[in-house]
Amino acid sequence: MATAQGMSGLDLITVTDEISRLLPLWVHKVYLDEKRLCVIRLNSKEQGKFNLLIEPGRRLHMIPILPEMPQIPPAFAMLLRKYLAGGRITDIRQQGLQRTIIIDVRKSEQLFHIIIEVFDEGNIILCNEDLSIIQPLTRQRFKDRDVLPGAVYVFQPPDVSSLSKEEFAERLAGDDRDIVRSLAVGSFLGGRYAEYIVSTTGVDKNILAKDVDASVVYNAIHTLLDTVRTHPRPVLSKSGCHPIPFGNEEEGSFDSFNAALAAFYPLAPPVKKQEEKKRVSREDRIRHQQEEAIEKFKKNITRNEELAALIYENYGFVSEIITTLSKASESRSWQDIEEILKKDTTGSGKKIIRVFPADAAVELDLSRPVKIFVHESIDQNAGRYYDQVKKFKKKLTGARAAMEREVQQVRTRKVQYQRPKKRWFDRFRWFYTSDQVLVIGGRDAGQNEELIRKYLEGGDTFVHADVHGASVVVVKGKTDVMEEVAQFAAVYSGAWRAGFASADVYAARPDQVSKTAESGEYLSRGSFVVRGERQWYRDVPLEVVIGLQKTPLTRIIGGPASSITRICDLYVALRPGTFEPNDIAKKVVRSLRDRLSADDQKALKFALNTEAVAGFVPPGGSDLVEG
């Protein structure tokens, strides 16, 4: 059943079946907030718009109203928009009874899969047609699978919904648990529906699974699955939301299970625009962070105390496992031990969930997973968890003490900022090297032409990236930090647009640069010929830093890190990436502005704006890598 903690596999069967009846649907836009709440805005030719809400690890269902979402979407939302916007959803399905949902989206000739994990911490994973991962919301590593870009997504083994009657009977025959526990955990039904099955079949819920008539139970399970798919009768109560009633529960007045779930999990309505302007004070923000930390510490304390208690509650069994495996490890490798345990489906080995060869440890099923180190005593194993309890109690004490102290507001003195006067080179790209030499570069072919014809003089240095489509860069004087100039030339070139990590750059004297083509050849606007030997700078890294200079003049400047960071208190770095120039300019402005006081934000509005930043953003996609 769907509770405040999350949805079960059976709930998701009803949800996905209802959504599949709405197909075809088209992806309009994807939203994501800081709490990992994702909404996919869907269009239907005949039924209008729909909002599919995804909260990884907890729930997935339709909602009637789009909740409040950030004005500037995070990187993962932009990635999903890039790949999926305009795509047609051809299928939505569940991996058996497991809480894994697969959505197929066809865009042009390509097929993409969105895999949503509604279990544990949860995840949203974008995959290619062959299930190779393009990008997950959260990168994860597990013993038996990796959720990382480039890896192939691995599904869990089949469950009762896809097993034959004979395979299900064989699975029950090897299960030492009572039938209710076996169905609830082993068959992914959960406690409510395990009770439902034994109630409708008349099976004694205390009987062992291996002693039950598997055929009767199998038929009851599949009858239940058919019912929640084809004839759901939603039930809504304070404790949960269910697709069918059980016992004396009364049906609700909802036309779909998705509608009942939307009522059970209410969302705050969109905030009015006037309210958007309200800022959370620094004190309130810190208080909120402290409260969240305290709750996290409490949960960790409770969890570790419970795990330590489980070790002592199962003293005999744990002691037997430690003794047996410790002795076995004296003559066998852990790889051999792991293979033997996998084949042991009837004895104590059935309680061993997984093996950690590198740690000489195993994870035991003691009603919940508990890691046991076989070369340590029971007290030492429990002591590991009690050490964690002590650690988190210490952190909890510190967090509570911090909350008792008043958060001091930083009072800032208003500063008069000076607007710079316009200079002749402001219309070009420019920066000053660390030794105060002016470097200018063209923004387009016309400016490249102008720099060569009007501003390239004796004593200057001509610099250019060794790629097609790059700024002509002119160094107005002698500098000892030509590596800064080379990086400037590499950044504002086609290498950035192509997504390269580095580029080659060369330098030449003004007399080596000519606008006269070889006989029979033609030079287009902005093109040139360089004759003679050049000075090369190989594998120049592509990175540009954009900063806010406050004094003595207040302005946005951009260039190599070594020249910008020495005169700017606030700056960010960019590297080739996915966001378009205008979008990344907005991100830079937001990143810099968020680190200013309220007074400074108002005072620096004339300098810190998207237009000023965009002048230093390279052509092509970029990512913000530093703030």
mmCIF file of all heavy atoms in Angstrom, residues 520-544:
data_model
loop_
_atom_site.group_PDB
_atom_site.id
_atom_site.type_symbol
_atom_site.label_atom_id
_atom_site.label_comp_id
_atom_site.label_asym_id
_atom_site.label_seq_id
_atom_site.Cartn_x
_atom_site.Cartn_y
_atom_site.Cartn_z
ATOM 1 N N GLY A 520 46.590 32.713 -56.978
ATOM 2 C CA GLY A 520 45.505 31.801 -57.353
ATOM 3 C C GLY A 520 44.587 31.435 -56.209
ATOM 4 O O GLY A 520 43.627 30.688 -56.390
ATOM 5 N N GLU A 521 44.867 31.952 -54.991
ATOM 6 C CA GLU A 521 44.039 31.639 -53.840
ATOM 7 C C GLU A 521 43.293 32.884 -53.356
ATOM 8 O O GLU A 521 43.612 34.016 -53.765
ATOM 9 C CB GLU A 521 44.891 31.078 -52.701
ATOM 10 C CG GLU A 521 45.532 29.744 -53.039
ATOM 11 C CD GLU A 521 46.356 29.194 -51.898
ATOM 12 O OE1 GLU A 521 46.470 29.889 -50.858
ATOM 13 O OE2 GLU A 521 46.888 28.081 -52.037
ATOM 14 N N TYR A 522 42.297 32.665 -52.500
ATOM 15 C CA TYR A 522 41.472 33.775 -52.013
ATOM 16 C C TYR A 522 41.319 33.661 -50.505
ATOM 17 O O TYR A 522 41.120 32.574 -49.967
ATOM 18 C CB TYR A 522 40.087 33.726 -52.686
ATOM 19 C CG TYR A 522 39.060 34.604 -52.035
ATOM 20 C CD1 TYR A 522 39.061 35.981 -52.256
ATOM 21 C CD2 TYR A 522 38.102 34.066 -51.163
ATOM 22 C CE1 TYR A 522 38.114 36.800 -51.650
ATOM 23 C CE2 TYR A 522 37.160 34.871 -50.557
ATOM 24 C CZ TYR A 522 37.169 36.241 -50.797
ATOM 25 O OH TYR A 522 36.256 37.055 -50.189
ATOM 26 N N LEU A 523 41.427 34.809 -49.805
ATOM 27 C CA LEU A 523 41.230 34.842 -48.363
ATOM 28 C C LEU A 523 39.893 35.486 -48.046
ATOM 29 O O LEU A 523 39.626 36.607 -48.470
ATOM 30 C CB LEU A 523 42.352 35.637 -47.678
ATOM 31 C CG LEU A 523 43.741 34.995 -47.644
ATOM 32 C CD1 LEU A 523 44.724 35.945 -46.981
ATOM 33 C CD2 LEU A 523 43.709 33.683 -46.895
ATOM 34 N N SER A 524 39.060 34.766 -47.275
ATOM 35 C CA SER A 524 37.764 35.317 -46.881
ATOM 36 C C SER A 524 37.953 36.344 -45.779
ATOM 37 O O SER A 524 39.045 36.486 -45.208
ATOM 38 C CB SER A 524 36.841 34.202 -46.397
ATOM 39 O OG SER A 524 37.400 33.546 -45.283
ATOM 40 N N ARG A 525 36.890 37.055 -45.454
ATOM 41 C CA ARG A 525 36.951 38.080 -44.420
ATOM 42 C C ARG A 525 37.354 37.478 -43.081
ATOM 43 O O ARG A 525 36.801 36.471 -42.651
ATOM 44 C CB ARG A 525 35.579 38.747 -44.299
ATOM 45 C CG ARG A 525 35.599 39.987 -43.393
ATOM 46 C CD ARG A 525 34.210 40.536 -43.258
ATOM 47 N NE ARG A 525 34.230 41.807 -42.549
ATOM 48 C CZ ARG A 525 33.178 42.359 -41.977
ATOM 49 N NH1 ARG A 525 32.009 41.729 -42.013
ATOM 50 N NH2 ARG A 525 33.269 43.512 -41.366
ATOM 51 N N GLY A 526 38.317 38.107 -42.427
ATOM 52 C CA GLY A 526 38.788 37.611 -41.145
ATOM 53 C C GLY A 526 39.890 36.587 -41.257
ATOM 54 O O GLY A 526 40.483 36.206 -40.248
ATOM 55 N N SER A 527 40.184 36.109 -42.486
ATOM 56 C CA SER A 527 41.239 35.112 -42.674
ATOM 57 C C SER A 527 42.579 35.803 -42.890
ATOM 58 O O SER A 527 42.657 37.011 -43.171
ATOM 59 C CB SER A 527 40.918 34.208 -43.864
ATOM 60 O OG SER A 527 39.710 33.513 -43.636
ATOM 61 N N PHE A 528 43.655 35.036 -42.844
ATOM 62 C CA PHE A 528 44.998 35.598 -42.936
ATOM 63 C C PHE A 528 45.966 34.472 -43.279
ATOM 64 O O PHE A 528 45.612 33.290 -43.262
ATOM 65 C CB PHE A 528 45.398 36.239 -41.600
ATOM 66 C CG PHE A 528 45.181 35.333 -40.435
ATOM 67 C CD1 PHE A 528 46.152 34.415 -40.048
ATOM 68 C CD2 PHE A 528 43.971 35.344 -39.754
ATOM 69 C CE1 PHE A 528 45.931 33.538 -39.011
ATOM 70 C CE2 PHE A 528 43.753 34.470 -38.704
ATOM 71 C CZ PHE A 528 44.722 33.571 -38.327
ATOM 72 N N VAL A 529 47.182 34.836 -43.596
ATOM 73 C CA VAL A 529 48.256 33.884 -43.868
ATOM 74 C C VAL A 529 49.404 34.186 -42.909
ATOM 75 O O VAL A 529 49.783 35.348 -42.731
ATOM 76 C CB VAL A 529 48.746 33.973 -45.319
ATOM 77 C CG1 VAL A 529 49.934 33.035 -45.545
ATOM 78 C CG2 VAL A 529 47.630 33.631 -46.287
ATOM 79 N N VAL A 530 49.937 33.145 -42.262
ATOM 80 C CA VAL A 530 51.105 33.297 -41.390
ATOM 81 C C VAL A 530 52.267 32.569 -42.045
ATOM 82 O O VAL A 530 52.188 31.361 -42.295
ATOM 83 C CB VAL A 530 50.835 32.721 -39.983
ATOM 84 C CG1 VAL A 530 52.076 32.860 -39.113
ATOM 85 C CG2 VAL A 530 49.649 33.421 -39.331
ATOM 86 N N ARG A 531 53.339 33.307 -42.307
ATOM 87 C CA ARG A 531 54.510 32.727 -42.965
ATOM 88 C C ARG A 531 55.693 32.695 -41.986
ATOM 89 O O ARG A 531 55.845 33.575 -41.153
ATOM 90 C CB ARG A 531 54.871 33.543 -44.202
ATOM 91 C CG ARG A 531 53.771 33.537 -45.282
ATOM 92 C CD ARG A 531 54.195 34.336 -46.501
ATOM 93 N NE ARG A 531 53.221 34.220 -47.581
ATOM 94 C CZ ARG A 531 52.176 35.037 -47.744
ATOM 95 N NH1 ARG A 531 51.989 36.029 -46.883
ATOM 96 N NH2 ARG A 531 51.337 34.871 -48.741
ATOM 97 N N GLY A 532 56.529 31.673 -42.133
ATOM 98 C CA GLY A 532 57.697 31.563 -41.281
ATOM 99 C C GLY A 532 57.431 30.706 -40.053
ATOM 100 O O GLY A 532 56.351 30.135 -39.859
ATOM 101 N N GLU A 533 58.442 30.615 -39.194
ATOM 102 C CA GLU A 533 58.363 29.782 -37.998
ATOM 103 C C GLU A 533 57.447 30.419 -36.944
ATOM 104 O O GLU A 533 57.396 31.633 -36.800
ATOM 105 C CB GLU A 533 59.763 29.579 -37.402
ATOM 106 C CG GLU A 533 60.660 28.708 -38.263
ATOM 107 C CD GLU A 533 61.941 28.347 -37.537
ATOM 108 O OE1 GLU A 533 62.047 28.682 -36.340
ATOM 109 O OE2 GLU A 533 62.816 27.729 -38.165
ATOM 110 N N ARG A 534 56.754 29.546 -36.207
ATOM 111 C CA ARG A 534 55.850 30.009 -35.149
ATOM 112 C C ARG A 534 56.289 29.402 -33.807
ATOM 113 O O ARG A 534 56.913 28.346 -33.771
ATOM 114 C CB ARG A 534 54.405 29.568 -35.442
ATOM 115 C CG ARG A 534 53.987 29.798 -36.880
ATOM 116 C CD ARG A 534 52.652 29.154 -37.172
ATOM 117 N NE ARG A 534 52.383 29.157 -38.601
ATOM 118 C CZ ARG A 534 51.230 28.772 -39.157
ATOM 119 N NH1 ARG A 534 50.254 28.344 -38.377
ATOM 120 N NH2 ARG A 534 51.063 28.810 -40.461
ATOM 121 N N GLN A 535 55.896 30.045 -32.750
ATOM 122 C CA GLN A 535 56.134 29.502 -31.409
ATOM 123 C C GLN A 535 54.875 28.773 -30.967
ATOM 124 O O GLN A 535 53.786 29.356 -30.934
ATOM 125 C CB GLN A 535 56.480 30.618 -30.421
ATOM 126 C CG GLN A 535 56.809 30.091 -29.039
ATOM 127 C CD GLN A 535 57.213 31.186 -28.076
ATOM 128 O OE1 GLN A 535 57.310 32.353 -28.469
ATOM 129 N NE2 GLN A 535 57.435 30.840 -26.823
ATOM 130 N N TRP A 536 55.020 27.486 -30.617
ATOM 131 C CA TRP A 536 53.855 26.656 -30.332
ATOM 132 C C TRP A 536 53.654 26.451 -28.827
ATOM 133 O O TRP A 536 54.617 26.363 -28.060
ATOM 134 C CB TRP A 536 54.002 25.281 -31.003
ATOM 135 C CG TRP A 536 53.780 25.344 -32.477
ATOM 136 C CD1 TRP A 536 54.727 25.511 -33.448
ATOM 137 C CD2 TRP A 536 52.525 25.250 -33.151
ATOM 138 N NE1 TRP A 536 54.151 25.539 -34.682
ATOM 139 C CE2 TRP A 536 52.799 25.378 -34.550
ATOM 140 C CE3 TRP A 536 51.209 25.094 -32.734
ATOM 141 C CZ2 TRP A 536 51.789 25.343 -35.500
ATOM 142 C CZ3 TRP A 536 50.210 25.044 -33.683
ATOM 143 C CH2 TRP A 536 50.498 25.175 -35.048
ATOM 144 N N TYR A 537 52.369 26.363 -28.462
ATOM 145 C CA TYR A 537 51.967 26.026 -27.090
ATOM 146 C C TYR A 537 51.012 24.847 -27.206
ATOM 147 O O TYR A 537 49.897 24.984 -27.719
ATOM 148 C CB TYR A 537 51.286 27.210 -26.406
ATOM 149 C CG TYR A 537 52.167 28.438 -26.332
ATOM 150 C CD1 TYR A 537 52.208 29.349 -27.388
ATOM 151 C CD2 TYR A 537 52.975 28.673 -25.227
ATOM 152 C CE1 TYR A 537 53.021 30.467 -27.346
ATOM 153 C CE2 TYR A 537 53.798 29.782 -25.165
ATOM 154 C CZ TYR A 537 53.824 30.672 -26.229
ATOM 155 O OH TYR A 537 54.636 31.763 -26.192
ATOM 156 N N ARG A 538 51.473 23.694 -26.794
ATOM 157 C CA ARG A 538 50.726 22.451 -27.015
ATOM 158 C C ARG A 538 49.804 22.124 -25.832
ATOM 159 O O ARG A 538 50.117 22.401 -24.679
ATOM 160 C CB ARG A 538 51.694 21.287 -27.222
ATOM 161 C CG ARG A 538 52.670 21.472 -28.381
ATOM 162 C CD ARG A 538 51.964 21.420 -29.727
ATOM 163 N NE ARG A 538 52.914 21.483 -30.843
ATOM 164 C CZ ARG A 538 52.552 21.499 -32.112
ATOM 165 N NH1 ARG A 538 51.259 21.438 -32.441
ATOM 166 N NH2 ARG A 538 53.470 21.578 -33.065
ATOM 167 N N ASP A 539 48.656 21.501 -26.178
ATOM 168 C CA ASP A 539 47.702 20.988 -25.170
ATOM 169 C C ASP A 539 47.348 22.035 -24.112
ATOM 170 O O ASP A 539 47.415 21.793 -22.902
ATOM 171 C CB ASP A 539 48.245 19.736 -24.486
ATOM 172 C CG ASP A 539 48.402 18.578 -25.444
ATOM 173 O OD1 ASP A 539 47.539 18.403 -26.314
ATOM 174 O OD2 ASP A 539 49.405 17.844 -25.309
ATOM 175 N N VAL A 540 46.967 23.193 -24.580
ATOM 176 C CA VAL A 540 46.573 24.272 -23.669
ATOM 177 C C VAL A 540 45.184 23.948 -23.106
ATOM 178 O O VAL A 540 44.239 23.738 -23.873
ATOM 179 C CB VAL A 540 46.539 25.626 -24.394
ATOM 180 C CG1 VAL A 540 46.080 26.732 -23.451
ATOM 181 C CG2 VAL A 540 47.915 25.951 -24.973
ATOM 182 N N PRO A 541 44.998 23.870 -21.788
ATOM 183 C CA PRO A 541 43.690 23.498 -21.224
ATOM 184 C C PRO A 541 42.633 24.568 -21.474
ATOM 185 O O PRO A 541 42.921 25.766 -21.445
ATOM 186 C CB PRO A 541 43.984 23.354 -19.726
ATOM 187 C CG PRO A 541 45.204 24.184 -19.490
ATOM 188 C CD PRO A 541 46.014 24.117 -20.745
ATOM 189 N N LEU A 542 41.412 24.112 -21.727
ATOM 190 C CA LEU A 542 40.298 25.033 -21.987
ATOM 191 C C LEU A 542 39.561 25.321 -20.687
ATOM 192 O O LEU A 542 38.827 24.475 -20.178
ATOM 193 C CB LEU A 542 39.337 24.440 -23.028
ATOM 194 C CG LEU A 542 39.911 24.205 -24.415
ATOM 195 C CD1 LEU A 542 38.829 23.779 -25.380
ATOM 196 C CD2 LEU A 542 40.598 25.451 -24.951
ATOM 197 N N GLU A 543 39.776 26.484 -20.143
ATOM 198 C CA GLU A 543 39.070 26.944 -18.953
ATOM 199 C C GLU A 543 39.125 28.460 -18.917
ATOM 200 O O GLU A 543 40.165 29.050 -19.197
ATOM 201 C CB GLU A 543 39.691 26.380 -17.675
ATOM 202 C CG GLU A 543 38.926 26.798 -16.418
ATOM 203 C CD GLU A 543 39.594 26.333 -15.140
ATOM 204 O OE1 GLU A 543 40.549 27.010 -14.699
ATOM 205 O OE2 GLU A 543 39.149 25.309 -14.591
ATOM 206 N N VAL A 544 38.003 29.081 -18.608
ATOM 207 C CA VAL A 544 37.967 30.536 -18.477
ATOM 208 C C VAL A 544 37.335 30.873 -17.136
ATOM 209 O O VAL A 544 36.414 30.196 -16.678
ATOM 210 C CB VAL A 544 37.174 31.192 -19.632
ATOM 211 C CG1 VAL A 544 35.718 30.775 -19.621
ATOM 212 C CG2 VAL A 544 37.292 32.710 -19.580
#
